[in-house]
């Protein structure tokens, strides 16, 4: 009864341990478990404005903290900068972030995006007081 374990039980134990190790390694290598790199961004998009040789705004999605970021890079145009963020894929922005302090002003907003979800961002210029924007760059896509 308390003798040497059978060969069959030893084989099962090895297979079970091997399966658990393989599962653990597979999980550690998956993007969801591996995490994201700090301040790794994608979807850098730029909008045009009335600045000669300049852009009006630039924005991106930052993985660290799921942040949508916009910067007004042209203080001479008198316009605000706005970033549109879409995470549902329907083209309507769920996230809108304005930078209204003139050239060099930036702003960001956290918005929880599930790991692996596609994120689209688009930078524009506009007038926050009228809640209107135009001169948008292209929609850029990445994955959270």
């Amino acid at each position: 009864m308390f003798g040497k374990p059978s060969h069959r039980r030893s084989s099962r134990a090895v297979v079970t341990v091997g399966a658990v190790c393989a599962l653990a390694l597979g999980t550690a290598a998956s993007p969801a478990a591996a995490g994201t790199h700090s301040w790794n961004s994608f979807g850098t998009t730029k909008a045009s404005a009335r600045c000669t040789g300049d852009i009006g705004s630039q924005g991106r999605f930052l993985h660290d903290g799921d942040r949508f970021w916009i910067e007004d890079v042209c203080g001479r145009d008198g316009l605000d900068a706005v970033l549109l963020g879409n995470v549902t894929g329907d083209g309507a922005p769920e996230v809108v972030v304005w930078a209204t302090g003139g050239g060099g002003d930036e702003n960001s907003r956290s918005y929880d995006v599930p790991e692996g979800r596609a994120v689209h961002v688009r930078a524009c210029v506009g007038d926050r007081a009228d809640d209107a924007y135009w001169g948008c760059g292209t929609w850029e896509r990445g994955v959270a």
Side-chain angles (χ1 to χ4, degrees):
M1 182 168 188
F2 294 107
K4 189 174 174 184
S6 74
H7 181 61
R8 180 178 283 168
R9 282 191 182 160
S10 294
S11 296
R12 269 193 220 149
V14 170
V15 169
T16 302
V17 169
V20 170
C21 289
L23 181 61
L25 289 173
T27 302
S30 73
T36 56
H37 299 290
S38 219
W39 294 99
N40 183 15
S41 66
F42 70 82
T44 301
T45 180
K46 299 178 180 182
S48 61
R50 294 184 296 247
C51 285
T52 306
D54 235 343
I55 55 172
S57 65
Q58 64 182 357
R60 62 184 51 96
F61 175 79
L62 305 167
H63 291 290
D64 185 27
D66 288 345
R67 298 197 67 78
F68 290 83
W69 174 85
I70 187 71
E71 179 183 17
D72 186 337
V73 295
C74 181
R76 301 186 308 257
D77 62 6
L79 301 173
D80 300 319
V82 60
L83 183 75
L84 309 176
N86 177 265
V87 296
T88 61
D90 64 2
E94 291 85 25
V95 182
V96 179
V97 184
W98 288 90
T100 59
D105 186 38
E106 60 184 63
N107 195 12
S108 67
R109 177 178 167 202
S110 290
Y111 188 90
D112 189 29
V113 180
E115 192 72 27
R117 169 83 47 97
V119 177
H120 299 82
V121 294
R122 184 180 196 186
C124 306
V125 294
D127 184 350
R128 176 66 175 118
D130 291 337
D131 200 27
Y133 53 85
W134 56 88
C136 298
T138 60
W139 283 102
E140 298 293 332
R141 180 188 184 278
V143 177

